[in-house]
Amino acid sequence: MRRSVASYRDVVDSLTLVIQALKFGDIQPWIHRGSSSSLSKLIQQSYHGNMDNFSLTGLAPIRMLLEVGLDKMRKDYINYFIGQELTTLNYLDYFLSSSVDVQEQVQRLKKLHHMLEIVVNCNAFLNLAHEHLFPLTQSCLQFYKKHPYSEEHVFHLQIRPSVISSFYQNEHPQTWRVEVSSGHGQKEVKTTWQLSGMAPVEHVGFDIPDIPFETTINGEAEKPAYFTTMISCSQVHFM
């Protein structure tokens, strides 16, 4: 087979070699349980020496290649989420289903990939432990079972500040926002602090000769300069 596939003809030639090898019993590849791709069905039939004729014309080769890719991605997501004990196969069934049309299969795997990015980033950059990654994963699964793919949606995870103390003590993010709530109902008081490298409004100017307006970090020795914004909202009724 070719080392790389760069054209439609390459796809057809490669799949033709695979199907011929299956027919003659030259290869007997293993397929994972639950695979329902066209190539998987041919492989299963080859075990019994009775394969259907498959026409590699039109979009059929591209569809077969797409199905193989989707199967591979499903297996990878299963290995990660279950291997890390972040969920069970039952919770992943919706995203791994191959009974829907190909476009919907792609969309559901796209959601899984987004969840994978969120969990991996929280683990790599915030060093969150399993006890925090597990509820985050469940929150993502529940959201994406009912909603379409969205990069704008904000997933919330409640953690103690001490959990990420090493991060906010050593890193200098562009924007930090902290929200503190106390009380309940009409007695609830909510205060939000925000530290940002950008001015809260464009028309505000500052006359600080030692620190240029555009400067936030200048070399490793200097600390970043932040603009502070505080908003307080209280529902307490005063007499």
Side-chain angles (χ1 to χ4, degrees):
M1 292 182 65
R2 299 176 182 269
R3 290 182 176 273
S4 62
V5 177
S7 66
Y8 174 82
R9 174 46 52 188
D10 290 344
V11 174
V12 174
D13 291 344
S14 298
L15 292 176
T16 299
L17 288 174
V18 172
I19 293 176
Q20 288 178 347
L22 289 172
K23 284 183 177 180
F24 292 109
D26 295 334
I27 58 173
Q28 288 187 328
W30 176 86
I31 56 176
H32 66 87
R33 185 176 59 181
S35 177
S36 59
S37 67
S38 302
L39 185 58
S40 296
K41 293 178 181 178
L42 291 177
I43 293 174
Q44 288 178 333
Q45 292 172 1
S46 71
Y47 296 157
H48 307 285
N50 184 21
M51 289 177 56
D52 294 337
N53 291 325
F54 190 88
S55 177
L56 293 174
T57 59
L59 292 177
I62 303 301
R63 183 182 181 89
M64 178 178 282
L65 183 63
L66 175 60
E67 291 174 347
V68 171
L70 294 177
D71 266 355
K72 175 62 168 63
M73 293 179 67
R74 289 190 189 96
K75 185 177 179 181
D76 290 343
Y77 294 135
I78 289 174
N79 288 340
Y80 180 82
F81 285 109
I82 295 182
Q84 297 295 321
E85 298 182 348
L86 296 173
T87 187
T88 63
L89 194 57
N90 289 336
Y91 284 96
L92 292 176
D93 275 347
Y94 168 82
F95 302 95
L96 303 175
S97 174
S98 58
S99 60
V100 295
D101 61 74
V102 174
Q103 289 185 344
E104 179 62 21
Q105 292 179 43
V106 172
Q107 288 301 313
R108 294 186 183 186
L109 289 182
K110 188 177 181 181
K111 295 176 181 180
L112 270 184
H113 188 77
H114 190 204
M115 286 185 261
L116 178 66
E117 289 181 329
I118 293 173
V119 173
V120 169
N121 283 332
C122 288
N123 183 31
F125 297 105
L126 298 179
N127 198 27
L128 295 184
H130 178 269
E131 61 180 297
H132 302 109
L133 296 178
F134 181 82
L136 176 61
T137 303
Q138 299 306 309
S139 174
C140 294
L141 289 170
Q142 292 175 6
F143 173 80
Y144 269 140
K145 279 186 177 180
K146 301 178 181 179
H147 300 87
Y149 175 83
S150 173
E151 294 184 356
E152 305 298 326
H153 179 75
V154 178
F155 293 96
H156 296 274
L157 177 65
Q158 294 184 355
I159 58 175
R160 299 186 306 274
S162 59
V163 173
I164 56 172
S165 59
S166 60
F167 177 78
Y168 61 72
Q169 288 173 358
N170 300 316
E171 300 297 331
H172 302 295
Q174 184 177 7
T175 301
W176 264 111
R177 179 178 298 170
V178 178
E179 184 177 284
V180 179
S181 299
S182 62
H184 300 281
Q186 294 184 346
K187 296 183 178 181
E188 181 182 11
V189 178
K190 182 180 295 184
T191 304
T192 302
W193 287 274
Q194 176 173 298
L195 300 177
S196 176
M198 303 295 293
V201 288
E202 296 181 357
H203 63 271
V204 175
F206 296 89
D207 184 16
I208 305 178
D210 295 333
I211 304 179
F213 181 77
E214 299 84 0
T215 300
T216 55
I217 302 178
N218 183 16
E220 296 182 356
E222 294 192 16
K223 295 182 179 181
Y226 287 115
F227 296 93
T228 304
T229 304
M230 185 180 75
I231 301 175
S232 183
C233 176
S234 173
Q235 298 183 8
V236 177
H237 296 283
F238 295 95
M239 298 300 293

